[in-house]
């Protein structure tokens, strides 16, 4: 396993800061940041993929359940773990192999992932996933298909024809689930654009509905309501911005005819501007030492809150006001702070229920050990090679650091689009 090192040191506050101010974490180098993130990726991915590739995940792992578990079939945890993990690491798996330790690890994990996909839809496999339950499989099928959309050459094209056909059939079968008018509309739409992307029969009505409802639910300044009422939580990061962007990406890339007047190119451009605004706000909310405000439901998803930052970095679309060295320094500092306590992982290496440590009382009634793997969405920037400017740029103090060390920092202004 690659060494998990902190790479961050403590430095005194600026002379103009109050004497009582806490010391700040000095940003590490890009090489240190990438090494840390790689170690985090390996810690998350290896216990799941090593077992599932051999058809032994369900035999060897009993995922932790929320103390308030609602009684649904607990086997859904395996679909959650695999789908969410793959979505976060798919960009990195799409990088070419090389002879470095990272390249060898990528080759191994990619092969394990491909073998795991075979097990996931083979009803005779002990690691056949729970596709036939009501409700939750629709949610995590969307992360499952999102990963295939993020890395089609690495994850979809190498699959054998039978496995591809089984995946298509399983995704189409989830149309039996009627999604509530919340972020679940995006899960249904994600599956349909995946089917579109691979040339399978798809339903444009489900896609049209999701896009139209979220246009109605936009509340301003980069934020969407999750349904008719606005919730102050991180679902804009966990689901809404990334999936809405990806849905529009596929529609634009394929030129798919819609049965409505949706102007997908214009909508995609607008959506990206809104996600950039959210990314600016997320960076401003990272504390001087990497703290994240514990707001709203699903806090146990940890650093998945920063998925828009990593996604925009990977796409090379970070806003002009957020330099790469600053976005990286802030988001990796949050990773270091979040995962400092070893109890974030159990004795077998699986993620536990918690926020900054094992804290099962923070788990929602739908939360289980598999749900936790959505935090891998904070690893997306690893899809940029080590030579990319995101990793070579000098670290820049982020907004909270500058604000609380007496330095000047830019004002914040709302947007009207």
């Amino acid at each position: 396993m690659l060494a998990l090192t902190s790479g961050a040191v403590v430095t005194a506050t600026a002379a103009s800061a109050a004497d009582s101010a806490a010391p700040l974490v000095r940003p590490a180098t890009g090489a240190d940041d990438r090494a840390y993130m790689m170690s985090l990726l390996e810690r998350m991915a290896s216990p799941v993929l090593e077992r599932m590739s051999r058809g032994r995940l369900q035999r060897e792992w009993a995922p932790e359940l929320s103390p308030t578990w609602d009684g649904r079939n607990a086997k859904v945890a395996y679909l959650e773990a695999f789908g969410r993990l793959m979505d976060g690491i798919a960009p990195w798996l799409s990088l070419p192999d090389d002879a470095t330790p990272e390249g060898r690890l990528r080759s191994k994990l990619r092969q394990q992932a491909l073998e795991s996909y075979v097990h996931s839809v083979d009803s005779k496999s002990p690691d056949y996933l729970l596709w036939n339950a009501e409700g939750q499989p629709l949610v995590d099928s969307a992360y499952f298909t999102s990963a295939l959309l993020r890395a089609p050459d690495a994850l979809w094209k190498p699959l054998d024809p039978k496995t591809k056909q089984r995946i298509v059939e399983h995704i189409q079968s989830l149309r039996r689930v009627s999604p509530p008018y919340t972020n679940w509309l995006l899960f249904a739409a994600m599956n349909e654009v995946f089917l579109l992307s691979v040339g399978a029969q798809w339903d444009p009505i489900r896609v049209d509905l999701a896009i139209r409802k979220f246009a109605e639910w936009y509340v301003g300044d980069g934020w969407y309501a999750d349904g008719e009422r606005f919730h102050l939580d991180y679902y804009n990061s966990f689901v809404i911005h990334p999936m809405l962007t990806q849905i529009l990406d596929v529609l634009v890339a394929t030129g798919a005819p819609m049965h409505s007047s949706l102007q997908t190119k214009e909508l995609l451009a607008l959506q990206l501007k809104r996600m950039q605004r959210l990314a600016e706000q997320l960076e401003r909310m990272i504390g001087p030492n990497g703290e994240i405000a514990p707001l709203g439901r699903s806090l146990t998803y940890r650093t998945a809150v920063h998925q828009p930052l990593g996604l925009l970095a990977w796409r090379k679309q970070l806003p002009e006001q957020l330099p790469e060295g600053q976005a990286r320094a802030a988001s990796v500092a949050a990773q270091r702070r979040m995962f400092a306590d070893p109890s974030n992982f159990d004795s077998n290496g699986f993620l536990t229920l918690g926020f900054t440590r094992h804290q099962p009382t923070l788990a929602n009634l739908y939360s289980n050990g598999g749900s936790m793997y959505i935090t891998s969405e904070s690893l997306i920037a690893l899809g940029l090679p080590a030579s990319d400017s995101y990793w070579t740029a000098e670290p820049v103090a982020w907004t909270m650091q500058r604000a609380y060390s007496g330095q000047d920092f830019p004002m914040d202004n709302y947007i009207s689009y």
Side-chain angles (χ1 to χ4, degrees):
M1 180 176 287
L2 299 176
L4 188 61
T5 58
S6 70
V9 297
V10 174
T11 183
T13 57
S16 59
D19 292 339
S20 60
L24 304 180
V25 172
R26 186 175 70 211
T29 67
D32 286 339
D33 282 344
R34 186 177 177 86
Y36 176 83
M37 294 285 278
M38 276 304 312
S39 295
L40 202 54
L41 183 150
E42 185 177 8
R43 289 194 73 180
M44 290 184 199
S46 289
V48 175
L49 297 183
E50 193 280 327
R51 288 171 173 83
M52 190 167 175
S53 64
R54 297 185 292 115
R56 298 188 65 87
L57 181 64
Q58 296 185 40
R59 186 176 302 170
E60 298 180 4
W61 178 41
E64 182 181 13
L65 302 180
S66 167
T68 58
W69 185 246
D70 62 5
R72 71 186 68 185
N73 189 333
K75 286 189 67 175
V76 75
Y78 301 105
L79 175 56
E80 293 184 55
F82 180 64
R84 298 178 185 206
L85 171 68
M86 290 306 303
D87 199 35
I89 69 173
W92 176 74
L93 291 175
S94 69
L95 290 174
D97 291 334
D98 55 47
T100 64
E102 178 183 330
R104 292 193 296 271
L105 175 65
R106 180 164 47 249
S107 179
K108 180 180 76 171
L109 290 179
R110 187 191 303 117
Q111 184 58 40
Q112 290 177 347
L114 292 171
E115 293 166 357
S116 297
Y117 276 114
V118 175
H119 286 289
S120 74
V121 289
D122 181 357
S123 60
K124 296 180 180 178
S125 169
D127 274 341
Y128 178 59
L129 298 177
L130 184 67
W131 298 98
N132 59 2
E134 290 303 319
Q136 189 65 34
L138 175 63
V139 175
D140 292 288
S141 65
Y143 292 100
F144 183 103
T145 55
S146 175
L148 296 172
L149 283 168
R150 284 178 172 172
D153 291 342
L155 300 178
W156 175 253
K157 291 181 181 179
L159 294 174
D160 64 272
K162 181 179 290 185
T163 298
K164 289 180 179 178
Q165 183 58 35
R166 285 172 171 168
I167 289 174
V168 167
E169 291 171 353
H170 281 77
I171 297 304
Q172 290 173 332
S173 74
L174 288 166
R175 291 171 183 159
R176 70 179 185 277
V177 180
S178 178
Y181 273 36
T182 64
N183 65 84
W184 281 47
L185 293 176
L186 294 172
F187 302 139
M190 276 295 307
N191 283 345
E192 297 303 329
V193 296
F194 162 73
L195 294 168
L196 166 65
S197 75
V198 298
Q201 187 274 330
W202 68 294
D203 182 0
I205 300 302
R206 288 183 169 233
V207 179
D208 185 279
L209 176 62
I211 294 171
R212 287 185 178 278
K213 293 310 293 183
F214 275 92
E216 294 175 12
W217 293 337
Y218 182 66
V219 295
D221 211 19
W223 290 79
Y224 291 91
D226 189 2
E228 295 183 358
R229 294 178 181 270
F230 177 73
H231 303 244
L232 186 54
D233 56 32
Y234 294 125
Y235 272 75
N236 271 265
S237 294
F238 300 153
V239 180
I240 298 171
H241 275 282
M243 289 197 177
L244 187 54
T245 300
Q246 194 165 39
I247 289 163
L248 291 166
D249 273 341
V250 176
L251 294 178
V252 171
T254 59
M258 301 296 291
H259 300 311
S260 67
S261 57
L262 289 178
Q263 302 297 312
T264 52
K265 289 184 179 179
E266 290 79 1
L267 287 171
L268 176 58
L270 177 60
Q271 165 54 25
L272 285 169
K273 289 170 64 178
R274 290 172 173 175
M275 184 161 61
Q276 288 172 329
R277 170 57 179 159
L278 180 69
E280 293 176 4
Q281 295 170 326
L282 291 172
E283 185 273 342
R284 282 178 171 264
M285 291 190 286
I286 298 174
N289 292 308
E291 301 88 348
I292 300 171
L295 295 173
R297 58 194 165 133
S298 301
L299 281 177
T300 57
Y301 293 173
R302 296 178 170 95
T303 50
V305 61
H306 294 144
Q307 180 177 187
L309 285 165
L311 181 58
L312 287 167
W314 181 48
R315 295 170 65 104
K316 287 295 182 180
Q317 291 175 326
L318 282 168
E320 183 179 351
Q321 301 89 333
L322 192 52
E324 290 181 316
Q326 183 173 330
R328 187 197 74 233
S331 57
V332 179
Q335 297 277 27
R336 289 190 171 99
R337 179 66 186 88
M338 184 68 70
F339 288 100
D341 191 305
S343 71
N344 282 290
F345 296 89
D346 68 18
S347 60
N348 292 313
F350 292 99
L351 283 166
T352 60
L353 303 181
F355 185 57
T356 60
R357 59 179 176 82
H358 184 214
Q359 297 161 296
T361 56
L362 292 177
N364 294 87
L365 56 84
Y366 49 78
S367 299
N368 62 72
S371 313
M372 303 304 100
Y373 284 85
I374 195 173
T375 197
S376 71
E377 299 285 10
S378 60
L379 304 175
I380 293 174
L382 284 169
L384 297 168
S387 59
D388 188 87
S389 57
Y390 180 81
W391 298 110
T392 61
E394 288 296 314
V396 177
W398 53 96
T399 304
M400 281 269 210
Q401 279 202 319
R402 292 160 70 178
Y404 283 92
S405 62
Q407 301 178 49
D408 290 336
F409 61 96
M411 291 176 59
D412 189 40
N413 294 290
Y414 67 86
I415 61 169
S416 58
Y417 45 79

